[in-house]
């Protein structure tokens, strides 16, 4: 019964720990432009708080008696329950000029800081209680159990929970489950306080050391052991985030692709700590060597977009073998249970350091997505340290590090050679690159965010004012602007890119661009000339478009282009009923809202139609194959209050039917789901 109570507490805490991560991330995602970096920053918060929880478990078990431990923990559980339900305060929305990463961290601390902290303490704390309450606890299997619960929550959220429940109902249900967890945790504490006197924490018995190597069971961990635990854990977290960045930004902007690396990461923990039979160093040395070599070799083409059918399996398989190596070595080095909380503290500290390095430092220090190449070299060097007593293996690992380093150098050199400009920030890596053709008048300079093109311009001075890529004259947005009914037009544009749409500007026009990334504005002004060449007055507004429009007085737009849906991190808050209310407040009665819905993996036209119908508006899908103009296929959905606005022949001849998705509901701020619109 005692073992079951402790297992239920650990399972529930781990399940809630990972369930709250996508739940909170989705709550605040609209406030920060829907950027993929929001998730990476949230991951850093979760890892740092996890570290604080593990430190608390280590300190309390070592310095407080059983009754004081339990009393303090119950008080904190009651205090955390006072913060429920976990709903983000709209008053914490960013103002527009502050650092988004710091704002996200502050928001999460105030919203879920204490409940998440208490959940974070549970794994090591309850396992420490278990070792002093139950004979033959086999405590490290409970670590595998907690990772299994985390994996279950991770998979359940996008496929079972998100499609069926609103954000508010998700938050309320999570809060109820947290209350149940608090009761279980309190009961576990009381059970521990009752039985703890049977087995002191620092007393060693044969049962404590079950399934541990004899040497590990007998010795006291040294400073070198602590450093090794730290390094192995840090590189696991580093490689998780580095591979995630690489495959979602450099290879393919596929929604939900971030789930794959995280699932592999958790699976490796489950296998390695469930028992020793899953990881054997001799069996994994060759696969790990091959994984490091192939992943490093693949970096050479990764900057320009790797073949999705080979690259994703390669990096997923490579991450699996690397995580099995890192976590398998960790499991082999695990100490006797009397050092359990210190072991978990080092694991958590390593995870936090790895997450901070990739999630916070890399975007500020590296001009491109170079953390994967650096990580591959460090993993090989770490292997040489682990094999320091086996000369041949140590030399082999050092040679492997040199090989990975040479491939990484080639990646950096090739990227800088092909890129005209390469910069990076919280919002991702941007580069401009020139593409040369046999016919020099077709040479272009493009702007790329990862693997996604965000505009291009002809290098020939005679052609540089031509609208290109998704914005040709026969595209939906081209038709909307050219057929606006006023002479002096006011055009709103959400998403600047290279500034291509400014090419349509005439004397007397006003073009107002809303852009969340300051580096995009800098590149549009320095690397492209659309803004400088335009005859219209150009205004650029820095900040999230929807938050800015909510604060602005009505603008009276003739056309509003909503162009932010080409990548995997769809800013859903720009595609909801509430967003449409904001847009309509800024439109002239005969104005057109144009949604750019070109996307390889998502069918967004039906979403626009749903929110248009919900407002009694007319929607029309314009498909342009680009054969006569830009050679780029593009889809725009035009929305207007007056159906007669879109009945003109110029629109109808290019229109096509909007596909129907059975069961699709109009998206709102409280309910939306990308899974429904996957192609």
């Amino acid at each position: 019964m005692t073992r079951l109570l402790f297992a239920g507490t650990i399972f529930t805490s781990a399940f809630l720990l990972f369930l709250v991560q996508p739940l909170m991330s989705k709550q605040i995602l609209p406030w920060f432009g829907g950027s993929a970096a929001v998730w990476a920053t949230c991951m850093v918060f979760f890892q740092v708080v996890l570290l604080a929880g593990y430190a608390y478990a280590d300190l309390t078990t070592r310095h407080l008696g059983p009754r004081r431990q339990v009393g303090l923990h119950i008080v904190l559980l009651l205090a955390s329950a006072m913060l429920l339900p976990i709903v983000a305060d709209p008053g914490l929305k960013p103002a527009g000029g502050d650092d988004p990463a710091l704002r996200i961290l502050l928001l999460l601390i105030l919203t879920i800081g204490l409940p998440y902290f208490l959940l974070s303490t549970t794994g090591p704390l309850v396992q420490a209680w278990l070792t002093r309450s139950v004979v033959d606890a086999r405590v490290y299997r409970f670590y595998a159990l907690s990772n299994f619960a985390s994996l279950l929550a991770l998979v359940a959220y996008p496929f079972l929970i998100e499609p069926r429940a609103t954000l508010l109902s998700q938050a309320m249900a999570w809060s109820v489950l947290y209350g149940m967890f608090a009761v279980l945790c309190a009961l576990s504490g009381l059970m521990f306080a009752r039985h703890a006197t049977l087995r002191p924490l620092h007393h060693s018995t044969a049962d404590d050391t079950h399934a541990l190597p004899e040497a590990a069971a007998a010795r006291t961990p040294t400073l070198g052991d602590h450093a090794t635990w730290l390094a192995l854990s840090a590189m696991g977290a580093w490689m998780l985030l580095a591979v995630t960045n690489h495959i979602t930004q450099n290879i393919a902007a596929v929604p939900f692709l971030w789930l794959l690396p995280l699932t592999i990461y958790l699976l490796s923990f489950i296998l390695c700590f469930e028992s020793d039979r899953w990881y054997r160093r001799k069996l994994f040395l060759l696969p790990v060597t091959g994984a490091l070599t192939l992943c490093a070799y693949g970096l050479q083409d990764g900057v320009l977009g790797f073949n999705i059918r080979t690259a994703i399996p390669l990096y997923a398989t490579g991450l699996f073998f690397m995580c099995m190596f890192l976590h398998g070595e960790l499991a082999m080095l695990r100490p006797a249970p009397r050092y359990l909380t210190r072991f978990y503290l080092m694991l958590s500290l390593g995870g936090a350091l790895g997450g901070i390095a990739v999630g916070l430092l890399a975007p500020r220090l590296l001009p491109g997505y170079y953390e994967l190449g650096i990580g591959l070299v460090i993993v090989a060097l770490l292997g040489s340290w682990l094999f320091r007593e086996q000369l041949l293996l140590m030399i082999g690992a050092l040679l492997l590090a040199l090989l990975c380093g040479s491939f990484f150098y080639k990646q950096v050199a090739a990227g800088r050679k092909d890129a005209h400009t390469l910069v990076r920030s919280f919002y991702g890596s941007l580069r401009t690159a020139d593409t040369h053709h046999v016919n020099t008048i077709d040479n272009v300079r493009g702007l790329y965010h990862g693997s996604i093109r965000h505009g291009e311009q002809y290098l020939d001075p005679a052609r540089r004012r031509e609208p290109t890529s998704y914005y040709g004259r026969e595209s939906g947005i081209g038709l909307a602007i050219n057929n606006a009914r006023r002479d002096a037009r006011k055009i709103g544009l959400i998403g600047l890119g290279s500034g291509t749409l400014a090419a349509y500007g005439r004397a007397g026009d006003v073009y107002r661009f809303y852009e969340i990334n300051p580096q995009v504005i800098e590149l549009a002004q320095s690397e492209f000339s659309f803004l400088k060449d335009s005859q219209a007055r150009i205004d650029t507004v820095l900040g999230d478009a929807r938050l800015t429009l909510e604060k602005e007085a009505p603008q009276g737009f003739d056309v509003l282009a909503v162009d932010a849906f080409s990548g995997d991190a769809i800013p859903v808050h720009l595609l909801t009923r509430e967003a449409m209310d904001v847009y309509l407040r800024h439109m002239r009665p005969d104005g057109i809202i144009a949604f750019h819905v070109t996307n390889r993996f998502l069918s967004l036209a039906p979403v626009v139609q749903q929110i248009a119908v919900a407002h009694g508006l007319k929607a029309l899908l314009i498909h342009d194959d680009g054969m006569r103009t830009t050679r780029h296929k593009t889809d725009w959905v035009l929305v207007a209050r007056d159906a007669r606005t879109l009945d003109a022949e110029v629109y109808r001849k290019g229109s096509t039917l909007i596909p129907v998705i059975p069961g699709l509901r109009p998206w709102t701020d409280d309910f939306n789901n990308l899974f429904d619109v996957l192609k």
Side-chain angles (χ1 to χ4, degrees):
M1 182 64 182
T2 302
R3 194 193 302 267
L4 185 62
L5 175 61
F6 287 163
T9 304
I10 291 171
F11 183 92
T12 305
S13 70
F15 184 83
L16 290 174
L17 197 71
F18 261 70
L19 191 62
V20 76
Q21 295 182 17
L23 195 161
M24 281 306 304
S25 298
K26 188 169 182 180
Q27 279 192 47
I28 67 175
L29 197 66
W31 301 353
F32 298 91
S35 167
V38 175
W39 170 250
T41 305
C42 289
M43 284 289 289
V44 172
F45 167 82
F46 297 135
Q47 288 168 325
V48 170
V49 177
L50 190 69
L51 168 63
Y54 280 29
Y56 165 91
D58 183 61
L59 291 172
T60 55
T61 55
R62 291 180 177 276
H63 300 291
L64 294 180
R67 293 184 182 276
R68 289 187 176 181
Q69 284 182 49
V70 174
L72 172 62
H73 207 65
I74 289 177
V75 168
L76 291 175
L77 287 169
L78 291 173
S80 69
M82 301 297 291
L83 299 176
L84 302 177
I86 53 162
V87 179
D89 183 359
L92 296 172
K93 290 182 179 180
D98 48 1
D99 187 310
L102 295 179
R103 173 66 69 162
I104 290 170
L105 295 176
L106 175 64
L107 190 153
L108 291 173
I109 289 171
L110 296 177
T111 306
I112 60 166
L114 188 55
Y116 195 85
F117 171 77
L118 268 296
L119 290 171
S120 300
T121 68
T122 305
L125 186 64
V126 174
Q127 288 178 57
W129 291 351
L130 185 67
T131 63
R132 297 177 60 179
S133 306
V134 178
V135 175
D136 190 20
R138 302 193 182 188
V139 68
Y140 285 108
R141 282 194 168 183
F142 285 84
Y143 189 61
L145 175 67
S146 69
N147 280 284
F148 173 73
S150 300
L151 180 59
L152 190 64
L154 175 69
V155 175
Y157 185 80
F159 301 115
L160 296 178
I161 298 172
E162 186 182 26
R164 292 172 172 79
T166 65
L167 277 175
L168 181 59
S169 61
Q170 291 173 34
M172 298 302 293
W174 188 94
S175 301
V176 171
L177 289 174
Y178 182 83
M180 296 172 59
F181 151 76
V183 172
L184 286 174
C185 193
L187 290 175
S188 297
L190 294 173
M191 183 72 73
F192 159 65
R194 179 181 178 184
H195 296 287
T197 54
L198 298 177
R199 306 180 67 232
L201 178 62
H202 298 286
H203 177 69
S204 177
T205 72
D207 294 320
D208 285 329
T209 57
H210 181 86
L212 285 175
E214 184 177 348
R219 62 191 290 270
T220 299
T222 64
L223 184 61
D225 292 325
H226 286 75
T228 304
W229 298 340
L230 184 73
L232 289 168
S233 176
M235 289 316 300
W238 180 308
M239 297 311 296
L240 163 65
L241 293 179
V243 169
T244 301
N245 283 343
H246 184 66
I247 65 175
T248 58
Q249 301 298 323
N250 290 337
I251 297 172
V254 180
F256 304 112
L257 192 54
W258 59 270
L259 274 171
L260 179 61
L262 191 51
T263 300
I264 292 169
Y265 177 80
L266 290 174
L267 179 62
S268 68
F269 264 123
I270 294 170
L271 294 177
C272 293
F273 282 86
E274 192 277 330
S275 77
D276 291 334
R277 67 178 180 270
W278 296 107
Y279 177 75
R280 293 284 190 274
R281 178 186 284 180
K282 291 182 179 180
L283 297 179
F284 273 83
L285 282 180
L286 187 59
V288 170
T289 300
L292 287 168
T293 303
L294 291 175
C295 288
Y297 177 76
L299 291 175
Q300 297 175 94
D301 295 322
V303 174
L304 300 178
F306 210 79
N307 186 318
I308 185 173
R309 295 183 179 180
T310 57
I312 291 178
L314 167 63
Y315 285 100
T317 304
L319 180 64
F320 173 76
F321 284 117
M322 285 184 279
C323 284
M324 284 297 293
F325 168 69
L326 294 166
H327 298 153
E329 293 293 328
L330 260 178
M332 289 174 58
L333 295 171
R334 66 193 186 278
R338 61 184 180 276
Y339 304 110
L340 175 145
T341 55
R342 183 58 53 85
F343 177 65
Y344 286 152
L345 178 60
M346 290 298 102
L347 263 63
S348 180
L349 177 58
L353 292 176
I356 290 171
V358 178
L360 293 184
L361 298 182
R364 290 164 171 77
L365 301 177
L366 302 177
Y369 289 108
Y370 296 150
E371 54 267 29
L372 178 55
I374 296 172
L376 295 171
V377 174
I378 296 176
V379 170
L381 291 175
L382 186 54
S384 70
W385 165 255
L386 294 172
F387 307 147
R388 60 191 180 279
E389 296 181 359
Q390 298 171 275
L391 184 60
L392 290 179
L393 289 180
M394 183 183 73
I395 293 174
L398 290 173
L399 291 175
L400 180 60
L402 288 174
L403 181 62
C404 292
S406 68
F407 287 137
F408 171 57
Y409 174 79
K410 291 180 180 179
Q411 177 206 5
V412 175
R416 291 188 173 278
K417 177 182 178 182
D418 295 326
H420 196 263
T421 304
L422 188 62
V423 294
R424 188 176 176 186
S425 69
F426 171 84
Y427 299 102
S429 178
L430 296 169
R431 66 186 180 91
T432 60
D434 296 346
T435 303
H436 298 280
H437 299 274
V438 176
N439 188 347
T440 58
I441 65 171
D442 292 330
N443 293 345
V444 295
R445 174 170 298 167
L447 174 63
Y448 301 87
H449 179 210
S451 60
I452 301 298
R453 185 201 311 267
H454 284 284
E456 62 185 19
Q457 183 175 30
Y458 287 112
L459 297 177
D460 188 332
R463 303 190 67 187
R464 69 181 190 180
R465 295 189 182 186
E466 292 184 26
T468 57
S469 62
Y470 309 114
Y471 314 104
R473 300 190 183 279
E474 295 186 5
S475 67
I477 187 61
L479 296 175
I481 293 176
N482 281 333
N483 290 278
R485 298 179 183 178
R486 293 202 307 156
D487 291 334
R489 305 168 300 194
K490 188 167 188 180
I491 311 297
L493 309 108
I494 297 177
L496 172 61
S498 61
T500 309
L501 287 172
Y504 288 98
R506 303 176 308 190
D509 290 349
V510 176
Y511 277 61
R512 188 171 179 82
F513 288 92
Y514 297 87
E515 175 56 52
I516 196 170
N517 187 348
Q519 289 185 338
V520 171
I521 297 177
E522 294 172 8
L523 292 179
Q525 293 173 340
S526 62
E527 297 292 307
F528 302 89
S529 65
F530 288 120
L531 301 182
K532 291 180 288 189
D533 293 342
S534 180
Q535 299 178 41
R537 191 187 87 195
I538 304 296
D539 297 332
T540 56
V541 183
L542 178 63
D544 177 76
R546 178 170 162 184
L547 295 181
T548 303
L549 288 168
E550 286 174 352
K551 299 173 185 176
E552 287 185 337
Q555 295 295 312
F557 292 129
D558 295 285
V559 177
L560 175 62
V562 187
D563 180 20
F565 310 119
S566 299
D568 67 323
I570 298 297
V572 170
H573 67 301
L574 300 179
L575 270 178
T576 64
R577 292 182 61 169
E578 294 85 351
M580 185 66 84
D581 288 331
V582 175
Y583 303 151
L584 291 172
R585 188 172 68 87
H586 290 278
M587 302 302 298
R588 291 177 56 83
D590 58 349
I592 292 177
I593 307 172
F595 293 85
H596 186 195
V597 295
T598 307
N599 192 290
R600 292 178 58 192
F601 305 105
L602 298 171
S603 181
L604 297 176
V607 178
V608 178
Q609 185 178 47
Q610 287 281 344
I611 60 175
V613 170
H615 286 81
L617 309 173
K618 170 72 172 181
L620 197 66
L621 173 61
I622 306 293
H623 174 75
D624 176 27
D625 59 16
M627 295 301 292
R628 292 188 296 174
T629 53
T630 63
R631 299 188 299 278
H632 286 80
K633 294 181 179 180
T634 183
D635 295 303
W636 289 80
V637 177
L638 307 184
V639 176
R641 283 194 179 95
D642 190 344
R644 292 174 298 179
T645 302
L646 299 178
D647 281 341
E649 176 64 20
V650 67
Y651 296 122
R652 287 191 289 108
K653 71 179 183 179
S655 66
T656 186
L657 290 176
I658 296 177
V660 176
I661 299 178
L664 182 66
R665 296 158 50 185
W667 284 4
T668 67
D669 288 349
D670 196 40
F671 181 84
N672 47 78
N673 180 31
L674 291 178
F675 190 73
D676 289 338
V677 296
L678 281 174
K679 290 184 179 178

